[in-house]
Amino acid sequence: MSVLASLVRAYERMKDAPPFGYSAEKIGFLISLMEDGTIANVTDLREGEGKRKVPKILFVPQPVTRTSNAAANFLWDNSSYVLGVTAREGMQISQKHSCFVRFHLDALKGEPDAGLSALRLFLERWSPDKFDSLNAPEMMDQNIVFTLESDRLAHICIHDRPAARVLWARLGATSDQPTSACLVTGEHARVARLHPAIKGVWGAQPSGARLVSFNLDAFNSYGHEQGDNAPVSEAATFAYTTALNRLLERDSGHRIQIGDASTVFWADASSVRASEAEGLFAALLGAVDETAEARKITAILDALRQGRSIDTLTPDLPQNVRFFVLGLSPNVARLSARFYIESDFDEIATRYLQHVERIRIEPPPREAAPSLWRMLIETASQRKSENISPLLAGEWLRAILTGAPYPLTLLATILMRLRADHDVNALRVAMLKSVLVRNFRLEAPVALDPENDDPGYLLGRLFATYEYAQTQALGGNVNATIRDQYYGTASATPRSVFPILQRKATHHLSKLRKGKPGLAVSLDRKIGEICELARADSLFPPTLNPRRQALFAVGYYHQRNDFYRAREGTQKIEE
């Protein structure tokens, strides 16, 4: 199923979505009319106090696409169009107000409905100089709708009246747009020449950007222009854009930010367990907290950390639910689809749980279940979100959810960060380990493995032991440890630096023998154990490839934390 087709199906499941031809817009004021067109009341629909008042969201006839020319919305608009007043300087409001009046006088001519007739009479008599008499200065530049005074308490606006809906449908049907077979639904219908903008994508234009757009001659094919190049019916266009805009809302529960990709997800509308699958996926990616789905996912992750098999946990996941994940990123006035994934939910969830198993490390990070965003921060310079590689973020999530190999740029980026800032933490080591397991099929250890004889892993352990000897011998007088001075060189070209480190370690152990002889003996024995595991001709190779540099970081992390970890039933090694 294509992206657009699946979004159309998602729209069908949205019970509170606007009907075709309508849009959810921010409305600030309601003008109540008598049947003779006189104003009976003005109601401020905004909620809140002072400057924090927020307009009310109402379903109104879909707004027009405006360029430099004036174009009026049907039965609603802002004050410059409806009343001919604005607080903004330099605005040519007379042309806008005249456009609104002409459009509605033509459209409402001869309409017998009381509400439509009242609006026509109001526009015939209104002039902008009457605005002060309304005693509502805050109405300037707000969107305005109308109601009959008899319908005001029932909260029925003029655009909600059956006659207004019929008229709105008739106005749309008189369009000269050609008809064609819709590529999404297969039905023969009027083709949308321009597709509505998508709002809510991080980094895109505030006014929105288009997912489907043909605006240059180079995009034309066989004489077709704009939407005729890829005919999608107006109904399907409305459905997919409405669904996508709803999914992209911050509080929708269906979006999460991964790098520069605003990622949305939804389940097939025909599944009775669609909502459960969506809640579980949001909990997996850390988008929700303190919900039944989040607690269920927490229990599954805890079971994984305790060694439970994924096969014994996946039966708890919804089965036979078609699931969709779409990543969007800004591209000037358009949107780029970073990735689109369609699969059964249990397969997607299982792949993500396999990823969680691959990043398991001991000791674990402080966060019980770090989100992808939190982990991606570790790949960015200065840990600033704007420095996250956009390609890396999207490719990594796609690899996780499809079961494909991880992007090797993830490995290269983390190794570069380690050489730059020498911060070998749990999140970075966990990502390195996951790449080793997924891409190179290595049995990278979760916790310290005293039997692992890989040169990279052994050198990382040895480096951690040298550093521990230094810090224990010099105490708080260390301005820069050997990690600060030599980590990058030691992990890439060990033969050039490890002889120097050995001489430093000999000096530090000699100093320890005077104050902490027991610790000196323990560290000397540890160095011997590590060296005995390696072949004499391969302990200090000239260079380490990226795979072994990753194992160097894993070995360093395991050994360093083993020194500082309080063993159950025993004292720390320095005591």
Side-chain angles (χ1 to χ4, degrees), residues 174-226:
T174 58
S175 170
D176 60 353
Q177 291 295 93
T179 62
S180 180
C182 175
L183 294 178
V184 176
T185 64
E187 299 176 356
H188 218 82
R190 286 187 294 114
V191 174
R193 300 275 288 181
L194 296 175
H195 291 218
I198 306 300
K199 299 179 181 180
V201 174
W202 182 78
Q205 295 179 353
S207 58
R210 286 171 172 78
L211 186 60
V212 179
S213 174
F214 301 86
N215 67 335
L216 295 177
D217 292 341
F219 303 148
N220 296 339
S221 177
Y222 294 96
H224 295 306
E225 296 180 355
Q226 297 179 329

Side-chain angles (χ1 to χ4, degrees), residues 247 484 517 527:
L247 294 171
D484 301 322
I527 293 172

Side-chain angles (χ1 to χ4, degrees), residues 94-165:
S94 59
Q95 182 182 4
K96 294 180 179 180
H97 180 58
S98 298
C99 173
F100 187 85
V101 172
R102 287 195 308 271
F103 171 63
H104 283 83
L105 292 182
D106 290 341
L108 304 180
K109 185 177 181 180
E111 288 293 327
D113 179 77
L116 297 178
S117 176
L119 178 58
R120 179 175 54 81
L121 293 172
F122 165 77
L123 292 176
E124 287 177 345
R125 301 169 181 172
W126 173 260
S127 62
D129 56 11
K130 297 179 181 179
F131 179 75
D132 291 338
S133 65
L134 299 180
N135 196 26
E138 293 183 350
M139 191 160 48
M140 280 193 180
D141 301 318
Q142 294 287 329
N143 287 330
I144 301 169
V145 293
F146 295 88
T147 185
L148 273 181
E149 178 63 17
S150 57
D151 292 336
R152 181 168 60 89
L153 296 180
H155 305 290
I156 299 175
C157 295
I158 289 178
H159 63 261
D160 294 324
R161 297 173 67 88
R165 291 181 179 272

Side-chain angles (χ1 to χ4, degrees), residues 317-331:
L317 302 173
Q319 308 290 316
N320 301 320
V321 178
R322 206 63 180 164
F323 205 78
F324 310 90
V325 185
L326 173 65
L328 298 172
S329 60
N331 183 14

Side-chain angles (χ1 to χ4, degrees), residues 20-33:
F20 173 51
Y22 285 71
S23 173
E25 301 293 336
K26 298 177 180 179
I27 306 298
F29 282 82
L30 172 71
I31 295 179
S32 179
L33 302 175

Side-chain angles (χ1 to χ4, degrees), residues 498-574:
F498 264 90
I500 300 173
L501 299 179
Q502 282 181 313
R503 291 194 293 270
K504 289 180 176 290
T506 300
H507 169 72
H508 296 144
L509 290 173
S510 175
K511 188 170 184 178
L512 279 175
R513 289 189 183 96
K514 299 175 183 179
K516 301 178 182 178
L519 176 59
V521 172
S522 297
L523 290 177
D524 202 19
R525 185 184 301 118
K526 180 67 67 177
I527 293 172
E529 291 172 357
I530 296 172
C531 292
E532 286 176 3
L533 286 172
R535 297 194 305 269
D537 59 343
S538 64
L539 180 58
F540 301 126
T543 59
L544 292 178
N545 58 34
R547 176 175 63 84
R548 287 209 160 114
Q549 289 182 43
L551 279 169
F552 183 99
V554 176
Y556 171 82
Y557 178 79
H558 283 159
Q559 189 62 68
R560 183 191 64 182
N561 285 281
D562 186 68
F563 283 134
Y564 290 101
R565 179 173 59 87
R567 294 170 178 79
E568 215 176 294
T570 64
Q571 295 178 320
K572 291 184 181 179
I573 189 171
E574 67 265 24

Side-chain angles (χ1 to χ4, degrees), residues 31 41 45 47 143 156 190 199 272 296 301 311 340 342 344 374 406 410 447 471 499-500 520 530 533 550 556 575:
I31 295 179
N41 206 332
L45 299 178
E47 299 176 349
N143 287 330
I156 299 175
R190 286 187 294 114
K199 299 179 181 180
V272 295
K296 184 175 182 179
L301 296 178
D311 296 334
Y340 172 64
E342 175 186 354
D344 287 341
R374 175 65 187 88
Y406 295 160
L410 178 63
T471 56
I500 300 173
I530 296 172
L533 286 172
Y556 171 82
E575 298 177 352

Side-chain angles (χ1 to χ4, degrees), residues 239-274:
Y240 93 77
T241 53
T242 300
L244 191 50
N245 279 318
R246 296 294 293 275
L247 294 171
L248 283 165
E249 292 176 358
R250 291 187 179 276
D251 57 352
S252 69
H254 290 262
R255 73 165 285 168
I256 188 170
Q257 195 68 35
I258 306 295
D260 78 330
S262 298
T263 304
V264 294
F265 50 88
W266 66 96
D268 184 37
S270 61
S271 174
V272 295
R273 303 191 68 184

